[in-house]
């Protein structure tokens, strides 16, 4: 079934081949599973998952309404998978999901019309469990950095479109406030 053990942040819990990290666990560069917070390890040997249940419930997790920055890891027409790396200015490491209905108040046929893998987005968390669901509907939220789909160079903002100085490509995104590369 499961085994239980108390741990502190950074404590080695095993190697990534042994279990899938679920919550409160990260994989370091050498492939070791390590505790992210003080808490109790819960290892489910049947499901081959491992998590650290925090001693202090406030220590782990995001709350609805939190502003996050994330990179788009993969996507389909209606779902984008995100790696959330910053929440309210604090470094974190969580998974996120952006559904096409959370992009705009207006109808969006496909996510490919508003973002691409590799884009950096500013979003708002809308649930309280992993994977976090996020929204970029609010004014000011959206893509804050992007690369060209054709050549991979940084895109700069000119008006409401993103342009590539290298290959001349012009691309659509839902651009957020504070886009990092703006033509002056």
């Amino acid at each position: 079934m499961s085994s239980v053990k108390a741990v502190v942040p950074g404590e080695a819990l095993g190697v990534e081949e042994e279990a899938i990290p679920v919550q409160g666990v990260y994989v370091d560069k050498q492939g070791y599973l390590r505790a992210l917070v003080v808490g109790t390890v819960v290892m489910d040997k049947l499901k081959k998952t491992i998590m650290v249940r925090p001693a202090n419930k406030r220590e782990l997790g995001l709350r609805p309404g939190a502003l996050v920055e994330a990179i788009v890891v993969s996507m389909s027409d209606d779902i984008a998978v995100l790696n959330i790396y910053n929440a309210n200015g604090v470094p974190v490491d969580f998974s996120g999901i952006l559904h096409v209905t959370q992009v705009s108040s207006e109808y969006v046929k496909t996510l490919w019309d508003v973002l691409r893998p590799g884009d950096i987005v500013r979003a708002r968390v809308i649930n309280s469990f992993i994977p976090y669901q996020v929204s970029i509907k609010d004014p000011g939220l959206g893509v804050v950095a992007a690369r060209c789909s054709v050549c991979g160079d940084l895109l700069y903002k000119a008006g409401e479109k993103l342009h590539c100085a290298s290959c001349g490509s012009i691309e659509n995104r839902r651009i957020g406030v504070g886009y990092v590369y703006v033509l002056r």
Side-chain angles (χ1 to χ4, degrees), residues 123-136:
R124 185 172 309 281
V125 174
I126 58 175
N127 70 339
S128 59
F129 52 88
I130 296 173
Y132 292 106
Q133 294 177 29
V134 299
S135 174
I136 59 173

Side-chain angles (χ1 to χ4, degrees), residues 10 41 44 48 93 100 154 160-161 176:
V41 174
D44 188 325
K48 296 192 184 219
D93 185 16
V100 69
L154 283 174
E160 296 301 312
K161 302 272 185 184

Side-chain angles (χ1 to χ4, degrees), residues 3 8 13 19 29 42 51 60 62-64 66 72-73 76 88 99-100 103 110 112 119 122 130-131 138-140:
S3 60
V8 295
L13 308 174
K29 291 181 181 178
V42 179
M51 68 178 282
L60 178 66
L62 301 175
R63 295 181 182 198
V72 179
V73 177
S76 64
N88 296 323
H99 190 266
V100 69
V103 171
T110 174
W112 294 95
D119 286 359
R122 185 170 294 120
I130 296 173
D138 295 349

